[in-house]
Amino acid sequence: MADGSQPLRGGRSAFRPKLLPSLLTLIMVAILIGLGVWQLQRLEWKTGLIADLEQRTAAAPITLNEALADPSASQYRPVRVTGRWLHEREMRLLARTYRGEPGLHIVTPLALSDGQRLLVDRGWVPLSAEDPVRRTAGQPQGIVTVIGLARLGGWDGRDFLRPENDPAENAWLWMDLPTMAEAAGLSQPVTALYLAALADQHSGRYPIGGQTRVELENNHLQYAITWFVLAAAAVAVFFLSQRRRQEDASSARE
């Protein structure tokens, strides 16, 4: 040009991928898609589990003998039992909340007519009603019929996170059925399962039953979408990063 300046270099961009970025992107996308597919599989599993729990909790009550025939299969099934409360042997399941208020659950043995003793989580009481004297209306005497969800005892978390129960202080953090039965001095205790009482099982205000939560979080679809979006983003970044001006690509070949 007359002023001595260099002409602007033009030309269209061309897709010229390099080997290493291509391999890395391929591996990354495969992993991300695999994670998305795994989450879809988890979604199918969780959906089936939720449907099974809803079906179990809505089923007609079964007898205790039916539940004991296969405790694992009977979990969350309603069970109807008849007996007499042993209020003098009730136990405290600590660190339980209800609508954000701290409190505890009352676990009371139920003496059945056949001599067995069944532990029943009757529900939540506030700390102010821990003393049975403050909730006498919820301490029915005589023969009662109770319906509760069958639950397995034991600690279901990691062993190193398991807190210690204190039988001497009647302070329990998880349902250790054999130890609880021993601490309460029960003969013929049922230790394969216990019942979590449904709501409205007595005339008193406390304990408040129906504390078993069967709702399960199901976020696997969102997780799957996230992984697939990340895979698409990785592909987009790869294509944009591997586009070079056509003249630069020609120079590279020379």
Side-chain angles (χ1 to χ4, degrees), residues 22-236:
S22 299
L23 292 176
L24 292 177
T25 301
L26 180 62
I27 294 173
M28 181 184 301
V29 170
I31 292 174
L32 292 172
I33 291 177
L35 290 171
V37 171
W38 175 65
Q39 287 297 335
L40 289 179
Q41 294 171 343
R42 295 278 294 173
L43 172 64
E44 182 179 2
W45 167 79
K46 183 63 72 67
T47 301
L49 180 60
I50 291 174
D52 178 62
L53 287 177
E54 291 176 347
Q55 183 179 9
R56 289 189 185 199
T57 57
I62 60 177
T63 67
L64 179 61
N65 287 337
E66 290 174 322
L68 291 175
D70 191 344
S72 296
S74 300
Q75 186 163 211
Y76 296 107
R77 287 286 305 272
V79 178
R80 179 185 282 111
V81 290
T82 299
R84 178 175 56 84
W85 292 117
L86 302 178
H87 293 298
E88 70 280 3
R89 303 187 188 187
E90 72 176 25
M91 287 164 277
R92 301 173 301 168
L93 199 58
L94 305 182
R96 300 300 190 268
T97 60
Y98 177 70
R99 297 179 178 177
E101 183 178 354
L104 59 145
H105 284 194
I106 298 300
V107 179
T108 307
L110 187 69
L112 308 180
S113 59
D114 62 0
Q116 294 188 97
R117 303 294 187 260
L118 175 67
L119 294 180
V120 180
D121 181 350
R122 299 186 61 212
W124 180 88
V125 301
L127 297 177
S128 60
E130 178 179 352
D131 190 338
V133 175
R134 296 180 176 272
R135 44 182 167 84
T136 55
Q139 304 286 85
Q141 305 298 318
I143 302 300
V144 296
T145 296
V146 180
I147 299 177
L149 299 181
R151 300 293 308 277
L152 303 180
W155 173 255
D156 57 3
R158 296 185 180 276
D159 289 341
F160 71 90
L161 294 176
R162 182 175 59 196
E164 292 295 329
N165 290 320
D166 190 349
E169 294 296 327
N170 193 18
W172 307 88
L173 294 170
W174 53 280
M175 296 291 291
D176 185 349
L177 300 184
T179 305
M180 294 174 80
E182 181 180 0
L186 301 181
S187 60
Q188 300 186 51
V190 175
T191 58
L193 56 80
Y194 70 98
L195 297 189
L198 299 181
D200 301 325
Q201 295 288 296
H202 51 79
S203 58
R205 182 178 180 185
Y206 299 120
I208 299 176
Q211 298 302 308
T212 298
R213 302 289 182 260
V214 295
E215 299 93 352
L216 299 177
E217 290 188 3
N218 191 4
N219 299 318
H220 297 294
L221 179 59
Q222 294 92 312
Y223 298 153
I225 292 174
T226 299
W227 291 123
F228 290 140
V229 169
L230 289 175
V235 172

